[in-house]
Amino acid sequence: MGAMELFFVDGEISTQVEELAQFIGQQNQSAASFAAEVTQSSDPVQAVLIASQGVLPKVSEDKVEAAYNQLFAIAKIGESGIDGVAATVAKDISANAQSGVAGLRVLNNLYNLVNAAQLAVFSEMVVLAVRVNMLPTLVPLVSQLPKLLSGWTGSAQQKADVVLELRNALDGAQLGNEAYATELVFLEAIGASDARAAKVATSAIVRFANLSAVCDLDALASLDSVQELSQGGQLGSAGELLNALLECDFEQWQKYASANADALKELGVDADKATDKIRLLTVASIAAEHLGEDVPFGKVSQAIGVEEDDIEMWIIDVVRSGLMQGKMNQVTRSLVPTRSTYRRFGADQWSLLAERLDQWKSSLESLQPVIGNAKLVAQQQAMQMAGQAQVTIKES
C-alpha cells in the first residue's frame, strides 16, 4: 500500500477515526488490519487515542502536525473531550517527539485548544524544550507568566511546581537573567505561603548580587513576600545580604563583605560581581541626591573606590544598566544626572518627591508673571503693526 496522505474530513467521527487508524497502522505496516480492529472496538475514539501513543510523536516532521491536528479533532468529539486526554497526549509528545521544532509546535496547538489542561500542557512544553535543547524558544513566555498563571486551572501548589520547573530548566540552560525573572514571578504570584518561598527568595537575592544585567533592586525588595520573609527572619544571611544591598554605599559594603566573607561564599555570592554591583548602585544613589546638579568626577570616583581616569566608563555602565540618565561634561569633568533609580522607593523617597514637586510648582508660579508680560508685549506689538499697515487699491 502506498503512503497515505493525511487530510481532514468533514464527516462522521467514524470516518475520521478510520482514516487516522489507517495512518497509525501504516507506521507499523498494518494499515488495513489495524484500522479494522480500531473501528470495530467498543470505543473507537479511545482506541485510536491509545494507539497513537509512542507512534505519532515519531512521525516525520512534515506530517506530524497534520496527524495530531486530526487526533485533536477526534478527541474533541470523544467522551472525555480534548481536556480529558491532553495531559496524556502532551506527556507522550514530550517524551518521544523526534523533532523538537515539530513537537513544540504541536504542543502549542494543543495548548491553544484546551482550557483546564493548559497548565499540564505547558509543563510538558518545558520538558520537551529541555530534552531537545530548545529552551530559548520559551524565553519570551517568561514575561507572560503572571497572565498565564492567572488563567490556568489548578491549585497554587501545581502552579508553583510549574513555575519552579521552568526556573530550574532556565537555570540549567545558563539563562540566569530569565531564571531570576521567573523567581520574581513566583515570589509575587505564589507568595510567602509556599514552603519553598524562602529558598526561592534567597536564590533571587543571590542572583541579583551576581547578575550584572539585573539592577532594579526595588523590583525584588518591594515584593510583599520578600518583606514578609525577611521580617520573619526566614531568609537568614540572605536577608542580611538584601539589607546590605539596599543600604550600603561602597565603603560600607567593603566592611560588610569582609566581616561576612564566609556567609557570602556559602550563599554562592561572587564577591567581585557583587562589589561591582554596589559600585553601580552607589553611583545611582549619588545621582538621585543631586538631580540637575554638577557632580564632580572626583566625588564619584572617591565614593566607589576607582581611579578618576576610569570614572567615565563606570558612569556609562550605570547608564547602560538603566539606573540613571544624565550627561557628562569633559570640560568641567562632572556629571549632571537628569534621572536616577532609587534602590528602595519608600516613605523618604515619596517625601523627597513631594518636596521637589512643590519646588517645581513654585518655580512655575514665579514664571507666570513673566509669561503674562511677554504675552501682553506681543499683543501690543501686533496691534501697533496692524495700525501701521496700509492697504492701497489703485483706481482703474
Side-chain angles (χ1 to χ4, degrees):
M1 182 177 180
M4 184 186 74
E5 292 296 330
L6 199 68
F7 58 96
F8 286 102
V9 177
D10 292 328
E12 296 292 330
I13 183 65
S14 58
T15 305
Q16 298 186 46
V17 169
E18 182 178 1
E19 180 183 86
L20 185 57
Q22 287 181 353
F23 181 80
I24 294 171
Q26 184 184 346
Q27 310 310 306
N28 298 319
Q29 306 299 321
S30 58
S33 60
F34 181 76
E37 180 181 336
V38 167
T39 55
Q40 292 172 11
S41 68
S42 59
D43 188 348
V45 172
Q46 185 64 22
V48 78
L49 286 169
I50 294 173
S52 70
Q53 299 292 298
V55 178
L56 289 190
K58 299 176 182 178
V59 171
S60 61
E61 186 172 349
D62 61 324
K63 294 180 180 179
V64 66
E65 188 172 5
Y68 269 108
N69 284 343
Q70 187 141 358
L71 179 68
F72 298 158
I74 293 170
K76 288 179 72 173
I77 304 173
E79 183 178 345
S80 300
I82 193 165
D83 275 283
V85 300
T88 301
V89 173
K91 190 176 290 292
D92 182 39
I93 296 170
S94 70
N96 298 306
Q98 298 296 300
S99 166
V101 173
L104 286 172
R105 196 162 56 232
V106 170
L107 286 175
N108 186 69
N109 292 343
L110 178 58
Y111 182 92
N112 291 327
L113 287 171
V114 299
N115 293 307
Q118 284 186 334
L119 188 151
V121 175
F122 183 89
S123 176
E124 297 306 326
M125 290 174 70
V126 175
V127 172
L128 176 58
V130 171
R131 184 171 69 81
V132 297
N133 296 317
M134 291 184 63
L135 199 62
T137 60
L138 300 185
V139 166
L141 297 178
V142 173
S143 62
Q144 300 178 37
L145 267 180
K147 182 178 180 181
L148 295 176
L149 282 167
S150 65
W152 285 342
T153 300
S155 66
Q157 174 78 26
Q158 291 172 321
K159 293 179 181 181
D161 289 345
V162 171
V163 174
L164 290 182
E165 180 182 25
L166 178 59
R167 189 279 307 266
N168 294 340
L170 291 166
D171 208 18
Q174 305 299 310
L175 296 170
N177 294 339
E178 291 75 16
Y180 172 76
T182 306
E183 288 175 337
L184 293 189
V185 172
F186 179 98
L187 292 168
E188 183 172 14
I190 307 301
S193 59
D194 190 283
R196 296 161 291 184
K199 189 174 180 179
V200 174
T202 297
S203 175
I205 293 167
V206 173
R207 283 186 202 276
F208 179 87
N210 290 342
L211 292 171
S212 59
V214 177
C215 293
D216 185 2
L217 183 54
D218 189 58
L220 170 62
S222 65
L223 292 174
D224 291 341
S225 58
V226 173
Q227 293 181 12
E228 180 181 339
L229 291 167
S230 181
Q231 291 169 4
Q234 295 172 261
L235 298 182
S237 56
E240 295 175 3
L241 171 60
L242 178 60
N243 290 332
L245 291 167
L246 284 166
E247 306 294 343
C248 288
D249 58 21
F250 178 70
E251 183 178 354
Q252 293 168 335
W253 169 264
Q254 286 185 304
K255 294 177 181 178
Y256 163 80
S258 176
N260 296 275
D262 291 341
L264 293 175
K265 184 177 181 180
E266 186 176 350
L267 282 171
V269 175
D270 185 311
D272 292 335
K273 291 180 179 179
T275 298
D276 286 346
K277 178 66 64 70
I278 284 292
R279 285 190 169 106
L280 298 179
L281 294 173
T282 299
V283 174
S285 295
I286 293 172
E289 295 171 0
H290 298 281
L291 289 178
E293 303 175 12
D294 284 329
V295 184
F297 284 171
K299 177 177 181 177
V300 182
S301 64
Q302 184 178 5
I304 64 174
V306 301
E307 296 293 331
E308 187 173 333
D309 290 341
D310 298 328
I311 197 60
E312 292 184 36
M313 293 306 301
W314 280 99
I315 292 173
I316 290 172
D317 286 343
V318 177
V319 172
R320 280 181 183 156
S321 72
L323 286 171
M324 180 189 73
Q325 290 178 353
K327 297 179 181 179
M328 288 188 289
N329 188 326
Q330 275 79 15
V331 176
T332 61
R333 296 193 60 74
S334 63
L335 164 69
V336 182
T338 57
R339 183 194 67 81
S340 186
T341 301
Y342 289 98
R343 301 190 208 184
R344 182 195 333 224
F345 205 90
D348 292 340
Q349 286 69 41
W350 281 113
S351 178
L352 181 59
L353 178 59
E355 182 181 333
R356 285 178 176 163
L357 287 174
D358 287 339
Q359 291 174 352
W360 291 335
K361 181 180 178 181
S362 298
S363 298
L364 289 174
E365 289 175 348
S366 66
L367 285 174
Q368 284 184 341
V370 178
I371 296 171
N373 289 335
K375 284 184 177 180
L376 182 60
V377 170
Q379 291 172 354
Q380 290 174 345
Q381 289 177 344
M383 291 175 63
Q384 288 175 359
M385 292 180 65
Q388 294 171 358
Q390 295 182 357
V391 177
T392 304
I393 300 177
K394 185 177 180 180
E395 296 181 2
S396 58

